């Protein structure tokens, strides 16, 4: 800063003094402003903001002391240095000048050399202050920048000074600086450590070798740059990348937590080792191929499937060992895979082995891509399914045979059912005729026949009645399978009560107690469901013990089914007969013991089958029976 940049305000009520000082200062290159009174001086100081003010003390209206006080009381002018001008040379006047804020004092009459010397002194001070101000600003900016860098850095930054003993050897380090990232990376160990000793706070750095590395950096000046496993305690540990450089008689350390990367590298290495073991040892074939299909790497499992040596396969590509009929489909799948339309594909194809035999394989192909998503190579998993294909062919042939047999059996059953219906229906008329004539003979010739003849006629009539009942039951059995009635939502409580009403005579005659719990609604044929309940309740009463019959019906939900039970206290059934009783015409007792045709439970079985359920029994001789049947819960 030269004199032309220095602005000086001269304040004096004597025009001669103003002119003298203005000419003198202008000749020295200063910019000069003038004022002849205190108020004009205050205004000029605000407008021009001078670097120095020469202020006369003795002025009318407002003396120099007052002007200086008002300048120092104003924020815009308080920093402007003031040199007082006065004919007064008394020590008290000078003290007063300094008390109100003046920086110097020039006595009148003026001595040119003194005036210029005192002004030059203040100008130099101003220049020095400006330089100091600029340097302070730069220093503050540097400090702010350094603090910003340290505070925002993701890397931990620590500075140490060496602590030496009387022999000059480094015995410890003292913390000079710790940035927030260092505290975050290393946890509580680095908080509030500035000014403390390293070995006192973290003694384990001597045992893990870090202290010796730091000493080497300070003593040799060589930079330390390495990865280091740091364990603070049993819980806190990390992999750090440490860079340490000498800094005067100490060092600056920058470190970054690379635990995630190291763990990733370890995991990747272990994964590669596992992949290598799987690739070489698995029985499934694995191949790495170029995008064009050329084999880059094959495992023993693949070699065993196609019966080529690995060295031979590495000279070939997929086209050579693929059946011609599967070639076009392969090309289309690979095109979709490489275009990104699919991520992987799996298909069954035929492979041409080295001995030219054909084997079936399930081939799964995936594309390995780089970070940009560009396919680099293909990984193929090959499973030999030749035996499975053979089994599938045998199963298919067997299934077709079974289907044919099933269709024939269904047709045969339908024909038998139709025959049973027709035969039973057609037997009704002649059987009725026989029974009618036998009864007619019995009425007309009863007195003319002897006892044996009447017994014969009685046997004929009884046989016809039994035959009639058997034909009726057979017709009923055939009608169950032939029914085309639509299923409706029915209330089993009502059906159970209707069945009891139909059996009222048998219930009263045997003094039976027939009760039920709350029964659900189901979807079915109401007539057949009534027949089901009626048969089960009737059997419970019929096959009673010496005690009055007790019959109890109940139902509970099990998953998607209602399971009904009809329990009695009758004679019971041995375990070996449980399956037999549901077969048509199967009886465990003689007609003399218990009448019947042996078809009632067979009808129950057909009814439950038609409704999509299952019928079974739990029973022991002398302990009664429980008949269970399941029906689907209505949707």
């Amino acid at each position: 800063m030269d004199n032309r940049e220095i602005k000086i305000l001269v304040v004096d009520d004597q025009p001669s003094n103003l002119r003298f000082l203005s000419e003198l200062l202008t000749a020295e290159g200063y910019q000069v402003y003038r004022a002849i009174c205190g108020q004009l001086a205050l205004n000029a100081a605000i407008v021009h903001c001078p670097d120095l003010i020469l202020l006369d003390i003795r002025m009318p209206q407002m003396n120099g002391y007052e002007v200086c006080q008002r300048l120092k009381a104003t924020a815009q002018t308080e920093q402007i240095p003031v040199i007082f001008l006065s004919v007064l040379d008394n020590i008290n006047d000078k003290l007063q000048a300094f008390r109100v804020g003046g920086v110097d004092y020039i006595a009148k009459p003026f001595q040119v050399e003194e005036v210029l010397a005192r002004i030059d002194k203040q100008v130099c001070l101003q220049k020095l202050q400006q330089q100091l101000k600029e340097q302070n600003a730069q220093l503050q900016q540097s400090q702010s920048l350094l603090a910003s860098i340290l505070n925002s850095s993701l890397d931990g930054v620590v500075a140490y000074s060496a602590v030496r003993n009387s022999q000059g050897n480094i015995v410890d380090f003292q913390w000079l600086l710790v940035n927030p990232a260092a505290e975050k990376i290393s946890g509580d160990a680095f908080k509030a450590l500035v000014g403390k000793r390293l070995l006192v706070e973290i003694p384990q750095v001597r045992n893990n070798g870090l202290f010796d590395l730091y000493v080497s950096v300070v003593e040799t000046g060589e930079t330390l740059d390495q990865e280091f496993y740091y364990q603070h305690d049993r819980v806190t540990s990390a992999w750090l990348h440490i860079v340490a450089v000498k800094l005067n008689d100490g060092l600056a350390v920058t470190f970054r937590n690379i635990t995630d990367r190291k763990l990733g590298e370890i995991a990747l290495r272990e994964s590669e080792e596992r992949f290598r073991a799987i690739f070489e040892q698995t029985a499934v074939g694995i191949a790495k191929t170029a995008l064009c299909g050329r084999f880059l790497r094959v495992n023993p499992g693949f070699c065993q499937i196609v019966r080529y040596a690995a060295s031979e396969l590495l000279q070939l590509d997929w086209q050579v060992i693929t059946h011609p009929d599967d070639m076009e489909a392969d090309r289309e799948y690979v095109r979709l895979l490489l275009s990104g339309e699919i991520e992987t594909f799996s298909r069954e194809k035929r492979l041409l082995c080295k001995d030219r035999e054909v084997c079936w394989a399930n081939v799964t192909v995936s594309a390995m891509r780089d970070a940009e998503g560009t396919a680099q190579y293909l990984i193929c998993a090959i499973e030999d399914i030749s035996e499975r294909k053979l089994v599938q062919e045998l199963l298919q042939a067997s299934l077709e045979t079974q289907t044919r047999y099933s269709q024939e059996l269904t047709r045969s059953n339908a024909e038998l059912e139709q025959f049973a219906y027709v035969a039973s229906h057609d037997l009704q008329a002649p059987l009725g005729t026989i029974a009618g004539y036998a009864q007619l003979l019995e009425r007309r010739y009863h007195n003319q026949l002897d006892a044996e003849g009447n017994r014969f006629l009685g046997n004929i009539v009884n046989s016809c009645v039994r035959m009639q009942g058997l034909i009726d039951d057979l017709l009923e059995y055939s009608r169950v399978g032939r029914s085309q009635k639509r299923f409706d939502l029915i209330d089993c409580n009502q059906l159970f009560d209707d069945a009891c009403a139909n059996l009222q005579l048998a219930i009263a005659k045997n003094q039976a107690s027939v009760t039920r719990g709350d029964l659900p609604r189901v979807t079915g044929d109401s007539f057949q469901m009534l027949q089901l309940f009626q048969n089960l309740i009737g059997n419970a009463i019929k096959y009673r013990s010496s005690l009055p019959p007790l019959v109890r019906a109940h139902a509970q939900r099990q998953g998607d089914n209602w399971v009904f039970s009809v329990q009695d206290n009758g004679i019971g059934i041995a375990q070996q007969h449980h399956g037999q009783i549901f077969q048509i015409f199967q009886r465990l007792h003689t007609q003399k013991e218990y009448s019947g045709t042996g078809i009632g439970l067979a009808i129950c079985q057909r009814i439950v089958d038609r409704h999509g359920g299952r019928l079974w029994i739990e029973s022991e001789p002398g302990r009664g029976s429980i008949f269970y049947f399941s029906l689907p819960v209505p949707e």
Side-chain angles (χ1 to χ4, degrees):
M1 183 166 59
D2 57 22
N3 289 346
R4 289 174 298 179
E5 297 176 352
I6 302 298
K7 294 181 290 184
I8 298 178
L9 174 62
V10 180
V11 183
D12 199 314
D13 62 335
Q14 297 296 322
S16 58
N17 291 336
L18 284 177
R19 184 170 51 255
F20 171 77
L21 291 174
S22 297
E23 292 176 354
L24 176 63
L25 297 175
T26 301
E28 294 296 322
Y30 297 109
Q31 298 181 44
V32 180
Y33 301 96
R34 294 179 292 181
I36 61 174
C37 69
Q39 187 59 51
L40 291 177
L42 293 174
N43 294 341
I46 295 294
V47 173
H48 300 294
C49 193
D51 297 295
L52 179 64
I53 297 177
L54 302 181
L55 179 59
D56 186 26
I57 293 177
R58 304 183 74 178
M59 293 186 297
Q61 297 178 355
M62 187 185 304
N63 62 33
Y65 297 140
E66 294 178 71
V67 172
C68 186
Q69 287 175 327
R70 294 180 64 176
L71 287 172
K72 298 303 178 183
T74 303
Q76 292 175 265
T77 59
E78 64 177 346
Q79 298 299 325
I80 302 174
V82 176
I83 298 178
F84 280 102
L85 308 174
S86 180
V87 295
L88 302 174
D89 198 20
N90 187 284
I91 186 63
N92 292 327
D93 295 322
K94 293 181 180 181
L95 291 175
Q96 179 64 19
F98 289 121
R99 275 195 292 268
V100 297
V103 296
D104 207 345
Y105 194 98
I106 300 176
K108 298 179 181 179
F110 300 121
Q111 299 294 323
V112 173
E113 292 78 3
E114 181 186 7
V115 171
L116 293 177
R118 293 183 181 276
I119 291 176
D120 285 345
K121 175 184 176 184
Q122 291 302 320
V123 169
C124 289
L125 288 175
Q126 282 288 88
K127 289 180 180 180
L128 290 174
Q129 288 177 353
Q130 182 63 30
Q131 291 176 359
L132 182 61
K133 183 177 180 181
E134 291 175 355
Q135 289 175 356
N136 286 337
Q138 291 178 355
L139 180 60
Q140 290 177 356
Q141 184 178 9
S142 298
Q143 290 177 338
S144 176
L145 179 61
L146 178 59
S148 177
I149 292 173
L150 290 175
N151 291 335
S152 61
S153 174
L154 298 178
D155 294 337
V157 180
V158 180
Y160 297 104
S161 64
V163 178
R164 298 179 181 272
N165 60 14
S166 57
Q167 289 76 36
N169 297 323
I170 297 177
V171 294
D172 206 340
F173 289 97
Q174 185 179 37
W175 271 284
L176 300 177
L177 177 147
V178 180
N179 78 332
E183 296 179 356
K184 183 177 180 181
I185 291 174
S186 299
D188 293 338
F190 277 87
K191 289 182 179 178
L193 292 178
V194 174
K196 296 183 179 180
R197 299 280 183 94
L198 175 61
L199 291 180
V200 173
E201 301 299 326
I202 311 178
Q204 54 266 40
V205 297
R206 182 182 293 279
N207 298 328
N208 62 25
L210 190 59
F211 179 79
D212 294 335
L213 293 174
Y214 285 174
V215 170
S216 176
V217 170
V218 177
E219 298 294 15
T220 65
E222 295 182 1
T223 298
L224 170 67
D225 185 347
Q226 73 175 55
E227 295 176 355
F228 190 85
Y229 181 72
Y230 171 81
Q231 185 166 8
H232 178 64
D233 51 34
R234 292 182 178 180
V235 178
T236 306
S237 62
W239 276 95
L240 303 177
H241 178 215
I242 296 177
V243 177
V245 296
K246 183 174 181 178
L247 182 66
N248 298 324
D249 191 26
L251 73 163
V253 182
T254 302
F255 56 93
R256 175 177 298 177
N257 191 329
I258 59 169
T259 303
D260 291 342
R261 193 196 77 194
K262 291 295 289 187
L263 293 178
E265 290 175 355
I266 294 171
L268 178 60
R269 183 166 60 252
E270 292 176 349
S271 176
E272 289 175 346
E273 292 173 354
R274 287 195 298 269
F275 174 76
R276 187 179 301 108
I278 293 171
F279 189 89
E280 297 297 335
Q281 299 174 16
T282 183
V284 176
I286 302 177
K288 174 183 178 182
T289 72
L291 301 183
C292 63
R294 182 172 57 84
F295 293 112
L296 302 176
R297 184 177 179 183
V298 294
N299 77 330
F302 185 37
C303 296
Q304 184 176 357
I305 292 172
V306 295
R307 301 168 199 145
Y308 279 97
S311 58
E312 294 174 321
L313 281 174
L314 295 180
Q315 306 301 317
L316 305 177
D317 56 29
W318 270 113
Q319 287 78 4
V320 174
I321 65 169
T322 298
H323 193 281
D325 294 344
D326 295 331
M327 199 80 72
E328 187 58 35
D330 269 7
R331 293 194 187 98
E332 178 60 17
Y333 274 110
V334 172
R335 184 190 68 78
L336 294 173
L337 183 66
L338 297 182
S339 65
E341 296 180 53
I342 58 176
E343 295 183 0
T344 184
F345 70 83
S346 182
R347 63 183 302 264
E348 295 180 356
K349 59 181 290 186
R350 287 161 290 185
L351 302 180
L352 302 177
C353 301
K354 183 178 180 181
D355 53 13
R356 308 318 294 170
E357 285 190 10
V358 176
C359 73
W360 278 93
N362 184 68
V363 180
T364 301
V365 183
S366 301
M368 298 295 105
R369 304 177 184 275
D370 59 17
E372 286 74 32
T374 303
Q376 301 297 303
Y377 57 88
L378 304 179
I379 291 293
C380 311
I382 306 96
E383 180 186 5
D384 188 347
I385 59 171
S386 299
E387 291 185 4
R388 191 178 78 192
K389 293 293 286 187
L390 178 60
V391 171
Q392 286 177 348
E393 292 175 1
L394 295 175
L395 287 176
Q396 182 63 31
S398 175
L399 180 61
E400 292 173 356
T401 301
Q402 290 179 8
T403 301
R404 185 170 65 254
Y405 287 159
S406 177
Q407 292 172 347
E408 293 176 357
L409 182 60
T410 301
R411 184 173 61 255
S412 175
N413 286 339
E415 292 173 353
L416 287 173
E417 190 174 287
Q418 180 67 20
F419 170 77
Y421 178 77
V422 173
S424 300
H425 186 272
D426 292 347
L427 286 174
Q428 295 273 21
L431 185 60
T433 301
I434 295 171
Y437 278 112
Q439 290 172 349
L440 185 60
L441 284 172
E442 187 178 26
R443 285 197 301 271
R444 289 186 179 181
Y445 301 103
H446 175 73
N447 294 329
Q448 300 177 23
L449 296 174
D450 57 14
E452 188 172 6
N454 284 318
R455 185 170 58 83
F456 290 160
L457 281 176
N459 288 340
I460 292 172
V461 172
N462 290 336
S463 296
C464 287
V465 172
R466 288 197 302 273
M467 186 66 177
Q468 184 69 50
L470 190 61
I471 291 172
D472 290 341
D473 287 345
L474 184 60
L475 281 171
E476 189 63 39
Y477 181 79
S478 65
R479 286 193 189 102
V480 174
R482 295 167 58 84
S483 176
Q484 300 296 322
K485 185 178 179 181
R486 181 173 61 87
F487 282 8
D488 298 314
L489 187 64
I490 54 180
D491 184 355
C492 291
N493 294 298
Q494 184 62 50
L495 288 179
F496 186 89
D497 294 343
D498 291 343
C500 290
N502 294 342
L503 296 168
Q504 187 59 46
L505 289 177
I507 294 173
K509 180 180 178 181
N510 290 276
Q511 299 181 341
S513 173
V514 183
T515 59
R516 62 169 173 83
D518 186 28
L519 303 180
R521 291 175 177 268
V522 298
T523 303
D525 183 326
S526 60
F527 176 76
Q528 291 184 354
M529 289 299 297
L530 173 63
Q531 192 175 14
L532 173 62
F533 281 118
Q534 191 166 311
N535 285 357
L536 293 176
I537 297 170
N539 278 357
I541 296 173
K542 179 180 179 179
Y543 295 98
R544 58 170 291 180
S545 65
S546 58
L547 299 174
L550 298 176
V551 184
R552 169 70 176 173
H554 180 69
Q556 65 177 10
R557 182 166 179 170
Q558 295 182 4
D560 295 332
N561 290 290
W562 285 108
V563 176
F564 294 78
S565 64
V566 178
Q567 184 175 7
D568 63 57
N569 64 340
I571 60 175
I573 302 171
Q575 175 73 33
Q576 64 267 28
H577 300 308
H578 285 184
Q580 178 183 348
I581 62 174
F582 297 112
Q583 299 176 13
I584 188 170
F585 301 134
Q586 295 296 314
R587 291 175 50 81
L588 304 181
H589 307 279
T590 65
Q591 284 289 339
K592 186 177 181 180
E593 292 176 307
Y594 296 97
S595 64
T597 60
I599 204 170
L601 288 177
I603 291 175
C604 292
Q605 180 72 68
R606 296 203 76 182
I607 291 173
V608 173
D609 288 344
R610 181 170 180 248
H611 285 73
R614 186 169 69 92
L615 175 64
W616 70 98
I617 184 176
E618 290 182 1
S619 180
E620 294 181 17
R623 304 188 65 177
S625 303
I626 306 176
F627 283 87
Y628 295 96
F629 64 93
S630 63
L631 295 176
V633 174
E635 295 182 357

